[in-house]
Amino acid sequence: MVKHSSRIELSQSAYKNNINFIRKKIGPDAILSAVVKANAYGHGIRTFVPMAEKCGVHHFSVASSFEAEEVLSVCSPNSRIMIMGIIYEVDIPWAIEHDIEFFVYNFERLPKTLEAAKQIGKPARVHIEVETGANRTGMPKSEFQTALSFLKKHSEYVIFEGLCTHFGGAESNSNQFKIDAQKKRYSDFLKQCKAKKIEPNIRHIACSAAALAMKDTVYDLVRVGVAQYGFWPSNDIYFAHLQEVNKKTDVGLKRIFTWKTDIMDIRPVQQGEFIGYGTSFQATQNMKIAVLPLGYSNGYPRALSNRGQVLIKGKKAPIVGLINMNLFMVDISHIDDVALGDEVVLIGRQQNNVINVSSFTNTTQLLNNEMLSRLPAAIPRKVVR
């Protein structure tokens, strides 16, 4: 099998640590739904899902029916899949047939779901997402009573699996007033369910930030995205955690992701010569550089030109010149015994040094999630211990 120009490794032990950590925060009873949208935040759905199942995770949340199909192709029969975003009308029968749950955020979708369920002869499992203040997706208050009446009347074919909402910024303390209002509105929707005598099987509102920092948001299920991969949703959530624990003994979250490549070529550059395209880097002394076989087409941000670093033999090697579509160069003048084919760490640890995703994102103004989810699906992923 031919080799790709880079590779991603996922640590099973680090993931186990993260799941144990999150479980301590949310308690033993809530279902932990692993959010694997955007190709599992760049970690790779097909590699990541079986890895999560080994740690006892058997509920997966995705953003589309396309992603649901990917999860379905690798998950065990007892795992559940929930579509939080787009499901085209043409895909509803497929979802019902495969016991895939999906969000409904307007009343119009319910009669179409009923029709599909009747044709298949199998009930649909829907989660009613309600509008509480994010103003993104969510059923408005004006449609909710009608929806409840519909669900009550057609419970044989449309199962009221969940009532949920999405917080608009739970990771920031400055948004707390908004999140408090959303929690109150969600509670009001639950009261309407009780009054109507039709209640959901599962109540869920918590994302990673809420699950880690707001115990009152942990209902029957939590939707954990970024935290399971070892990233704190924000400094605010991290500092709130530090106030609760002994900093010396607390392990916290561990990054499960390492991105690697290999040295493609090594060459001397004379003082005064330019490196790469244009004149963005001129050697001020005689140098030795290594050429690496990836670039912005492989998800390595061009904004790191002349600013980023990689690890070679445990030492940081600065990027020199512009990052090209599928090549960039690093200065190895200060590193001894570098050879063709030596392993290069782009993100992760090598010996006593580390390159964090934040070193990318602080420089390029990308979010951690944005940086990771842009990594091409073609890069091979594998699980390591």
Side-chain angles (χ1 to χ4, degrees):
M1 185 177 175
V2 296
K3 285 188 73 172
H4 196 275
S5 62
S6 71
R7 57 200 172 274
I8 290 166
E9 295 174 356
L10 308 178
S11 167
Q12 184 77 56
S13 58
Y15 185 70
K16 180 67 174 173
N17 170 82
N18 296 343
I19 293 302
N20 290 342
F21 176 84
I22 294 163
R23 186 51 77 187
K24 280 181 190 170
K25 290 280 189 183
I26 66 173
D29 299 324
I31 298 165
L32 196 162
S33 182
V35 179
V36 293
K37 64 183 181 179
N39 200 25
Y41 289 52
H43 292 65
I45 281 177
R46 292 174 188 275
T47 308
F48 179 79
V49 166
M51 177 181 176
E53 289 182 329
K54 281 184 182 173
C55 293
V57 176
H58 288 285
H59 196 290
F60 298 96
S61 295
V62 297
S64 67
S65 42
F66 180 85
E67 290 178 342
E69 187 174 42
E70 273 203 284
V71 175
L72 189 65
S73 71
V74 292
C75 73
S76 62
N78 62 323
S79 283
R80 294 166 63 186
I81 302 168
M82 179 171 73
I83 301 171
M84 304 181 294
I86 183 71
I87 174 169
Y88 288 98
E89 193 177 327
V90 69
D91 293 331
I92 291 175
W94 172 84
I96 296 169
E97 190 67 57
H98 291 91
D99 297 309
I100 291 169
E101 303 159 25
F102 52 93
F103 281 20
V104 169
Y105 38 82
N106 55 48
F107 178 77
E108 181 188 331
R109 178 51 55 93
L110 286 174
K112 292 172 180 173
T113 300
L114 174 63
E115 185 183 339
K118 282 182 173 178
Q119 282 179 354
I120 290 169
K122 188 176 181 180
R125 296 182 174 272
V126 303
H127 294 251
I128 304 296
E129 182 189 9
V130 287
E131 176 55 66
T132 58
N135 288 299
R136 207 177 66 159
T137 52
M139 184 175 287
K141 194 175 175 182
S142 59
E143 293 184 358
F144 191 62
Q145 282 292 323
T146 310
L148 288 180
S149 297
F150 184 94
L151 290 168
K152 197 169 182 180
K153 183 179 178 183
H154 301 290
S155 59
E156 184 186 351
Y157 282 104
V158 185
I159 295 169
F160 189 11
E161 190 62 34
L163 183 77
C164 57
T165 197
H166 183 78
F167 288 135
E171 67 282 352
S172 174
N173 290 342
S174 63
N175 294 328
Q176 194 59 52
F177 73 99
K178 177 183 174 183
I179 302 306
D180 287 343
Q182 287 195 263
K183 288 192 282 190
K184 170 69 170 62
R185 288 171 186 162
Y186 179 78
S187 181
D188 290 343
F189 278 111
L190 279 176
K191 285 174 186 171
Q192 289 186 56
C193 294
K194 196 165 188 179
K196 197 88 169 177
K197 293 187 170 54
I198 173 160
E199 297 189 61
N201 295 332
I202 296 171
R203 302 161 298 166
H204 55 107
I205 60 176
C207 55
S208 285
L212 293 177
M214 304 173 204
K215 288 183 170 57
D216 63 338
T217 66
V218 178
Y219 282 92
D220 306 310
L221 176 146
V222 296
R223 307 181 302 263
V224 180
V226 70
Q228 67 179 324
Y229 304 109
F231 297 91
W232 288 93
S234 67
N235 286 336
D236 286 349
I237 303 298
Y238 180 53
F239 294 144
H241 163 70
L242 289 182
Q243 288 169 358
E244 290 179 6
V245 298
N246 182 330
K247 297 176 192 177
K248 289 181 181 176
T249 59
D250 178 60
V251 177
L253 295 168
K254 291 182 177 180
R255 309 291 162 85
I256 72 172
F257 179 98
T258 301
W259 189 14
K260 296 177 177 180
T261 187
D262 309 285
I263 292 176
M264 175 181 175
D265 198 11
I266 296 171
R267 57 201 310 112
V269 175
Q270 300 299 311
Q271 180 180 348
E273 288 291 312
F274 294 100
I275 294 176
Y277 285 123
T279 56
S280 75
F281 188 93
Q282 186 176 26
T284 55
Q285 59 194 28
N286 291 344
M287 296 174 65
K288 185 165 66 167
I289 64 167
V291 183
L292 306 185
L294 74 161
Y296 57 80
S297 71
N298 309 100
Y300 201 91
R302 192 169 184 268
L304 290 176
S305 299
N306 288 318
R307 299 166 86 183
Q309 298 174 316
V310 303
L311 294 177
I312 296 173
K313 293 193 171 295
K315 293 184 178 176
K316 290 186 176 178
I319 294 170
V320 288
L322 297 176
I323 291 167
N324 307 160
M325 185 179 286
N326 45 20
L327 288 176
F328 69 93
M329 284 67 74
V330 296
D331 180 9
I332 55 168
S333 307
H334 58 298
I335 308 174
D336 296 329
D337 302 321
V338 179
L340 284 179
D342 278 358
E343 188 171 81
V344 180
V345 169
L346 306 164
I347 296 174
R349 182 174 293 279
Q350 191 183 61
Q351 297 178 24
N352 294 322
N353 249 323
V354 66
I355 303 283
N356 287 319
V357 175
S358 59
S359 67
F360 282 57
T361 54
N362 293 343
T363 305
T364 61
Q365 309 304 309
L366 294 172
L367 298 171
N368 284 347
N369 293 353
E370 183 180 0
M371 161 69 204
L372 291 167
S373 63
R374 285 183 173 187
L375 293 173
I379 300 173
R381 278 91 166 156
K382 76 170 182 177
V383 179
V384 297
R385 193 186 67 80

